[in-house]
Amino acid sequence: MSGIPLIIAFVIAIIIMIIAISKLKIHPFISIMTISLLFGIVAGIPLTDIPGVIGTGFSNTFKSIGIVIILGALIGTLLEKTGAALKMADCVVRLVGKKNPELAMLIMGWIVSIPVFCDSGFVILNPIRKALVKRTMKSSVACTVALSMGLYISHCFIPPTPGPIAAANTLYEGIGQETNLLLVMFFGTICSILPLIVSYFFAKYIGKKVKAMDEADNNGGELVQTYEELVASYGKLPSGFLSFAPIIIPIVLMGLSSALAMAGKSVAVITFFGTPIIAIAVGVIFGLILLVSQKKSKEFYEITNDTLKVTGPILFVTAAGGVLGNVIASTSMVDFIKSNSNTLATLGLLFPFLLSAILKTAQGSSTVALTTTAGIIAPMLSTIGLATSPLAALTVIAIGAGAMTVSHANDSYFWVVTNFGEMKVEDGYKTQTLGTLIMGISAIINVYIVYLFIR
């Protein structure tokens, strides 16, 4: 099967999967794996190749984020057990005020995801989000959405995240110029303004409509244990430095490594410690220092065991999403989209946005959408009037806007946000999927506003 029938089959498969998960209450892992298998057969992937495609999609997801999720969740548990998460929440509240936890998570996420992948960033910052919810008694869903959206915007827009860097290099090669990453970073920052504003108000709105599973439904929706009672149960909280170290140190290590890579330099030690797995492992070490300082080192075995029990389901559902994405990528759908791209080339900046959005929605990875779209349109930049350095940089951002539209079941980030945000799958569609759609549209509007000034 190829062309339009394949796209129709894909849409039908996604609808069936959503119904199976949300209405029939079939476990997401079973639903996604079954749909992936059936879609692969219908799409015409040779039967003998399907097991390999499924295995590759599963293992690639584990390889890219599996250990990160486990170690990141372990940091989160250590921060919770030692009271460090509460200390961090106190510090954040002092900066932004008790009434603005959503704004705090949005800005924090946007900054952290400049050097760090959004998946890793969400896992790292989730303990602060949970403690902030306890501290402010605000909506858990609103803070989850704000954090997710903040991370996602800079992940798709601003180098040194790999997707924007790769897209920029490809496009500048297409116009025969040296890559201007500073210009890309500048436009990425400017074009973040409207999506950040829209994301903030969407988070506030959706937080009133959707409840997370970690929000008790008694006494008008109040949390079971007050913040003051929670602090009292820990006794003396750790210092601010020790509390933030398990999170800040990995971010600094990854950011330093990314900065050197962007500058075209390589220092083996920094590259080693800047790898997400190693950087977050260093964060775990600082978490252990916290545990020892609180005289709770004997609890480490139990903490690790509990963390593995929690992360198991998350890992398998996330990997299943990777399977679906790999099955789709192994069909002729992406090739069909590429071969028919000329019909969209008359749309100017809207063309890379739409092409990237189609690829993102079809196969799940924002980075793949960014790099693939850049490769397709690089030879066309002169034809569509975008063959100058500023317009090439703005084209990168237009592609990034499409690469965030939309996050759903075939995107591992969807499952990270849904599971760590303790939301039901159907609520993930109402929050993460709808939120990324609104965010992507607001982003391309922001791109066109900038375009009016530089064309």
Side-chain angles (χ1 to χ4, degrees), residues 281-365:
V282 172
V284 172
I285 293 173
F286 277 92
L288 286 172
I289 294 172
L290 260 175
L291 198 67
V292 172
S293 70
Q294 295 296 101
K295 299 179 180 179
K296 296 182 177 180
S297 56
K298 293 181 179 180
E299 299 179 19
F300 182 59
Y301 180 89
E302 184 179 349
I303 288 172
T304 304
N305 204 36
D306 290 342
T307 301
L308 292 174
K309 290 178 182 177
V310 171
T311 56
I314 298 173
L315 283 169
F316 282 103
V317 172
T318 301
V323 169
L324 179 58
N326 198 49
V327 167
I328 293 167
S330 299
T331 68
S332 59
M333 184 187 298
V334 174
D335 291 332
F336 174 77
I337 293 170
K338 291 180 183 178
S339 64
N340 288 274
S341 59
N342 286 334
T343 58
L344 297 173
T346 57
L347 299 175
L349 280 170
L350 195 59
F351 163 57
F353 167 77
L354 289 174
L355 181 58
S356 181
I358 292 169
L359 289 170
K360 161 65 182 176
T361 304
Q363 52 77 44
S365 168

Side-chain angles (χ1 to χ4, degrees), residues 49-365:
D49 292 347
I50 290 178
V53 171
I54 290 175
T56 299
F58 199 87
S59 61
N60 283 349
T61 304
F62 264 98
K63 180 175 67 176
S64 63
I65 196 173
I67 298 176
V68 169
I69 287 178
I70 293 173
L71 295 180
L74 183 56
I75 289 176
T77 307
L78 289 168
L79 293 176
E80 289 178 17
K81 295 294 184 181
T82 59
L86 297 176
K87 182 67 177 182
M88 288 188 291
D90 264 343
C91 295
V92 173
V93 167
R94 289 195 198 103
L95 287 175
V96 302
K98 191 174 180 179
K99 296 181 179 179
N100 299 302
E102 302 92 349
L103 181 61
M105 298 314 303
L106 182 71
I107 295 174
M108 199 181 305
W110 184 83
I111 294 171
V112 165
S113 200
I114 292 174
V116 179
F117 264 86
C118 57
D119 308 67
S120 305
F122 195 95
V123 174
I124 291 171
L125 294 178
N126 192 53
I128 300 181
R129 179 198 67 82
K130 293 175 70 174
L132 207 56
V133 169
K134 286 276 189 181
R135 179 71 179 86
T136 61
M137 305 292 285
K138 294 287 186 175
S139 165
S140 174
V141 168
C143 289
T144 294
V145 172
L147 175 58
S148 169
M149 300 296 105
L151 288 161
Y152 214 31
I153 292 169
S154 53
H155 174 82
C156 293
F157 275 2
I158 304 175
T161 307
I165 286 181
N169 287 337
T170 302
L171 292 179
Y172 275 92
E173 285 178 8
I175 60 175
Q177 295 184 16
E178 186 177 344
T179 307
N180 193 335
L181 286 180
L182 287 178
L183 195 56
V184 175
M185 294 173 75
F186 173 74
F187 283 143
T189 302
I190 297 299
C191 291
S192 295
I193 295 174
L194 186 57
L196 283 169
I197 294 172
V198 170
S199 296
Y200 173 74
F201 285 107
F202 175 74
K204 296 276 285 186
Y205 167 79
I206 204 68
K208 298 176 183 177
K209 303 293 183 180
V210 178
K211 295 295 181 184
M213 290 181 285
D214 59 348
E215 292 177 295
D217 196 30
N218 60 324
N219 296 324
E222 291 185 359
L223 297 167
V224 175
Q225 189 180 30
T226 67
Y227 176 78
E228 288 72 20
E229 291 171 339
L230 193 59
V231 171
S233 68
Y234 286 99
K236 184 180 179 181
L237 295 179
S239 69
F241 172 78
L242 279 179
S243 297
F244 277 98
I247 289 178
I248 297 298
I249 299 300
I251 292 172
V252 170
L253 291 173
M254 287 186 277
L256 185 58
S257 176
S258 297
L260 286 175
M262 190 171 64
K265 298 180 180 179
S266 178
V267 179
V269 174
I270 294 177
T271 301
F272 171 76
F273 281 104
T275 305
I277 293 175
I278 303 301
I280 296 177
V282 172
V284 172
I285 293 173
F286 277 92
L288 286 172
I289 294 172
L290 260 175
L291 198 67
V292 172
S293 70
Q294 295 296 101
K295 299 179 180 179
K296 296 182 177 180
S297 56
K298 293 181 179 180
E299 299 179 19
F300 182 59
Y301 180 89
E302 184 179 349
I303 288 172
T304 304
N305 204 36
D306 290 342
T307 301
L308 292 174
K309 290 178 182 177
V310 171
T311 56
I314 298 173
L315 283 169
F316 282 103
V317 172
T318 301
V323 169
L324 179 58
N326 198 49
V327 167
I328 293 167
S330 299
T331 68
S332 59
M333 184 187 298
V334 174
D335 291 332
F336 174 77
I337 293 170
K338 291 180 183 178
S339 64
N340 288 274
S341 59
N342 286 334
T343 58
L344 297 173
T346 57
L347 299 175
L349 280 170
L350 195 59
F351 163 57
F353 167 77
L354 289 174
L355 181 58
S356 181
I358 292 169
L359 289 170
K360 161 65 182 176
T361 304
Q363 52 77 44
S365 168

